[in-house]
Amino acid sequence: MFIKRKNPWEGPSMRVTPEEVYIERRRFIKSMAGYGLMAGVFLSGAGGIINPSALFAMGKKPPLITVPETPTSMLYPAKRNRRFRVKRALTEEKIAAAYNNFYEFSTNKKVWKYVEGFKARPWTVEVTGLVKRPKVYDLDELVKKIGVEERVYRFRCVEAWAMTVPWTGLPMRKFLNLVEPMAGAKYIRFRTLYDKEVFPQQKLRFWLPWPYEEGLTIEEAGNVLTLLATGIYGHELPAQHGSPIRLVIPWKYGFKSIKSIVRIEFTETRPETFWNTLAPEEYGFQSNVDPAVPHPRWSQATEKLIGTGMRVPTLKYNGYGEYVKGLYEG
Ligand SMILES: Nc1nc2c(c(=O)[nH]1)N[C@H]1C(S)=C(S)[C@@H](COP(=O)(O)O)O[C@H]1N2
Ligand SMILES: [Mo]
């Protein structure tokens, strides 16, 4: 067989397999039943699935951080909102910029190697569904209208790594006040750009449920912490962090913080989401950070602070209980 599947009783149970490898293999195997085995032989190697764009990138060394000039560049650095403080050292910028999850570009963490040429302008965000002011917003217009602020947040990936970074962005609550959801809107569905010419993996990994989508309840979206981030470390987002606009929901696992958003839809029913569709038993819709609830394949009790070699206890709601407990109690 061209894909070696580990028996569940083999190997240490606490090893964290990155989301990508394990889940997508199952999906891949399923899809290959339809496409025939030849494609499988072409795309996979002994160790798993090759990332063909890695071959093209070989020998080239792109810049780690690229932040092009835009019509909103002058808003940075934005004033920091001191209400949100984190008792933990900031992650170094070059560490955060070199360790990303952004499946559309690459399924390994070195996303920065594949983002050259990504264009964050012109960019529009379609606001649609159960909302009083539906509109296709030009991003610059939206950013200037709402304004940006800086917030230092903890950030926790479901794979048990964590960082502390200064985001800049639009408070989601202000966005909701601008567009005015209707009374029937119970959820919000967010969508990432779907363009195979821009994102190589949307073409190569055609069996994944593109476009990447995520969702929140309207109350979660309206929480004071929820941020539509447009910047990081005092400037606009480099492509690997989800340029030009992405969600940041610091009390939830990182996969909820969807990148490169082009559409925000207000719905009555709970939206389907990318990871939940791939593996519902592993990636729930709510996915609040909780040290007491292990992932089916690893513990969530501790987390690795990237770039430091340190492992620290995971905090319930990622340390944001005082802000979000009310959403889930009673
Ligand atoms: N569109 C899109 N959004 C995404 C992802 C992705 O693959 N595609 N990965 C998610 C995951 S798993 C994490 S942990 C965070 C990582 O954000 P960062 O790379 O800025 O640290 O982005 C999230 N948003
Ligand atoms: Mo993640």
Side-chain angles (χ1 to χ4, degrees):
M1 264 315 274
F2 58 91
I3 292 165
K4 189 171 177 294
R5 289 194 68 182
K6 221 181 169 63
N7 292 319
W9 57 88
E10 293 174 348
S13 63
M14 283 300 129
R15 211 190 87 215
V16 175
T17 309
E19 287 151 293
E20 62 242 28
V21 187
Y22 181 91
I23 303 298
E24 80 156 353
R25 272 187 192 173
R26 292 192 316 198
R27 176 107 178 172
F28 183 71
I29 290 161
K30 257 199 216 160
S31 81
M32 278 313 124
Y35 288 102
L37 291 181
M38 284 314 291
V41 172
F42 170 70
L43 283 167
S44 70
I49 294 158
I50 299 172
N51 180 351
S53 48
L55 302 176
F56 300 120
M58 255 161 46
K60 252 181 31 179
K61 200 158 167 58
L64 172 61
I65 297 166
T66 306
V67 183
E69 189 73 19
T70 76
T72 46
S73 297
M74 71 289 192
L75 300 176
Y76 301 80
K79 192 167 182 285
R80 183 172 294 182
N81 185 336
R82 303 266 163 199
R83 180 169 168 198
F84 309 102
R85 289 166 185 276
V86 177
K87 287 191 224 95
R88 184 161 98 173
L90 276 189
T91 302
E92 260 184 79
E93 175 169 17
K94 62 177 197 298
I95 300 287
Y99 194 84
N100 302 96
N101 277 332
F102 200 164
Y103 236 55
E104 285 84 343
F105 280 118
S106 167
T107 53
N108 68 51
K109 296 287 184 285
K110 292 177 179 138
V111 176
W112 63 275
K113 290 189 174 175
Y114 309 95
V115 302
E116 232 181 347
F118 177 82
K119 289 195 174 38
R121 295 292 190 290
W123 194 275
T124 56
V125 178
E126 182 189 4
V127 178
T128 186
L130 301 173
V131 63
K132 289 188 192 139
R133 278 121 96 50
K135 180 175 169 165
V136 177
Y137 279 93
D138 173 70
L139 181 67
D140 298 316
E141 180 198 342
L142 191 64
V143 171
K144 285 178 185 162
K145 203 170 228 162
I146 294 178
V148 291
E149 60 181 65
E150 185 176 72
R151 298 177 178 189
V152 176
Y153 281 162
R154 298 161 180 276
F155 188 88
R156 172 62 152 78
C157 174
V158 72
E159 295 163 337
W161 57 264
M163 59 183 186
T164 311
V165 297
W167 301 103
T168 304
L170 326 174
M172 186 75 194
R173 187 177 276 188
K174 287 190 181 172
F175 170 82
L176 295 180
N177 290 339
L178 175 71
V179 304
E180 293 185 65
M182 291 177 180
K186 303 251 184 329
Y187 295 90
I188 307 183
R189 184 214 315 262
F190 300 84
R191 176 180 293 180
T192 295
L193 175 67
Y194 187 33
D195 185 337
K196 292 173 183 162
E197 303 311 314
V198 173
F199 292 131
Q201 298 299 328
Q202 290 180 338
K203 194 185 255 171
L204 294 166
R205 285 177 158 74
F206 51 83
W207 59 86
L208 294 179
W210 310 112
Y212 195 106
E213 292 195 327
E214 257 305 336
L216 294 174
T217 66
I218 197 95
E219 293 80 13
E220 290 172 331
N223 186 272
V224 68
L225 292 169
T226 308
L227 199 62
L228 279 165
T230 53
I232 192 168
Y233 294 101
H235 50 68
E236 288 187 317
L237 294 168
Q240 62 265 43
H241 282 299
S243 171
I245 185 163
R246 56 91 54 87
L247 261 186
V248 175
I249 315 139
W251 73 96
K252 292 180 180 286
Y253 289 121
F255 65 88
K256 300 290 295 181
S257 293
I258 181 174
K259 295 176 168 180
S260 304
I261 296 166
V262 292
R263 190 170 188 260
I264 300 176
E265 184 189 2
F266 293 79
T267 66
E268 197 190 331
T269 54
R270 204 181 83 175
E272 300 289 326
T273 64
F274 185 86
W275 282 108
N276 188 248
T277 300
L278 276 170
E281 68 290 355
E282 304 196 10
Y283 308 106
F285 180 83
Q286 194 171 80
S287 285
N288 294 327
V289 175
D290 191 341
V293 179
H295 183 279
R297 290 179 284 121
W298 58 84
S299 164
Q300 295 288 23
T302 63
E303 62 196 31
K304 183 186 91 174
L305 297 177
I306 57 170
T308 70
M310 279 196 288
R311 211 163 239 291
V312 298
T314 301
L315 302 177
K316 180 142 169 112
Y317 298 120
N318 204 21
Y320 293 102
E322 62 175 299
Y323 299 103
V324 302
K325 257 206 278 246
L327 289 171
Y328 308 107
E329 283 176 357

